[in-house]
Amino acid sequence: MQAKLIRALLTFLAVLVLLAIAWVWIALSWSYADGERAGYLQKLSRKGWLCKTWEGELAMVTMPGAIPEKFEFSVRDEEVAQRINLLAGKRVVLDYRQYKFIPSTCFGETEYFVDGVREVVDPPAQAAPQPLAPAVSPGQLTPVR
């Protein structure tokens, strides 16, 4: 009787562990949404007490002078984190995937995971054309005294 109870309890615990593993795998494998966000990279830092994750912030500005909207994101790939770190303070485009129902902050503090970055290079500003001087004939010149 006691052996059956222990076996049933162990089976129940094994099923719970397998369900938890399946939940984590599904939550991190299938993205809810993906896309790009453009803005100025404000920060990227590695933080956490037990699980260290890369967490960043992008300031998205719609118009000059407008209050920027902040986009908080996580990075799981070390190489992508290093590329983002090199672009701090610059205008960038981040490729991201959104994952819902992640069970722990050990995978990232946000539901947005960046998996690519590229710098936005503005085309060089063209100089304004200089107005042409009016045509002057030699008879119109006045001597300077």
Side-chain angles (χ1 to χ4, degrees):
M1 173 78 174
Q2 194 172 21
K4 285 185 179 184
L5 183 61
I6 291 174
R7 179 174 283 149
L9 183 61
L10 289 176
T11 303
F12 178 72
L13 289 175
V15 167
L16 280 180
V17 167
L18 289 175
L19 285 174
I21 291 170
W23 177 25
V24 170
W25 181 77
I26 290 170
L28 293 175
S29 296
W30 289 337
S31 66
Y32 173 74
D34 57 22
E36 296 179 336
R37 299 273 176 118
Y40 292 92
L41 192 58
Q42 287 192 308
K43 70 174 184 174
L44 182 70
S45 58
R46 189 172 164 100
K47 55 194 218 179
W49 293 105
L50 198 52
C51 303
K52 296 284 188 184
T53 60
W54 286 100
E55 305 297 328
E57 192 174 274
L58 184 77
M60 299 183 305
V61 180
T62 55
M63 297 174 16
I67 297 174
E69 180 184 344
K70 291 182 182 176
F71 174 64
E72 295 181 345
F73 60 90
S74 301
V75 181
R76 294 194 303 192
D77 186 352
E78 190 72 30
E79 182 180 322
V80 173
Q82 295 309 319
R83 286 196 327 235
I84 292 173
N85 239 346
L86 292 174
L87 297 172
K90 296 183 180 177
R91 188 160 187 237
V92 298
V93 174
L94 299 177
D95 299 318
Y96 73 92
R97 296 189 189 289
Q98 181 182 9
Y99 296 95
K100 296 280 195 174
F101 311 115
I102 296 178
S104 167
T105 58
C106 275
F107 301 103
E109 291 184 6
T110 70
E111 57 186 37
Y112 300 99
F113 290 88
V114 170
D115 54 13
V117 61
R118 64 185 182 277
E119 183 177 3
V120 175
V121 180
D122 293 325
Q126 294 183 356
Q130 298 295 324
L132 295 175
V136 178
S137 65
Q140 292 177 328
L141 295 175
T142 56
V144 178
R145 297 177 201 215

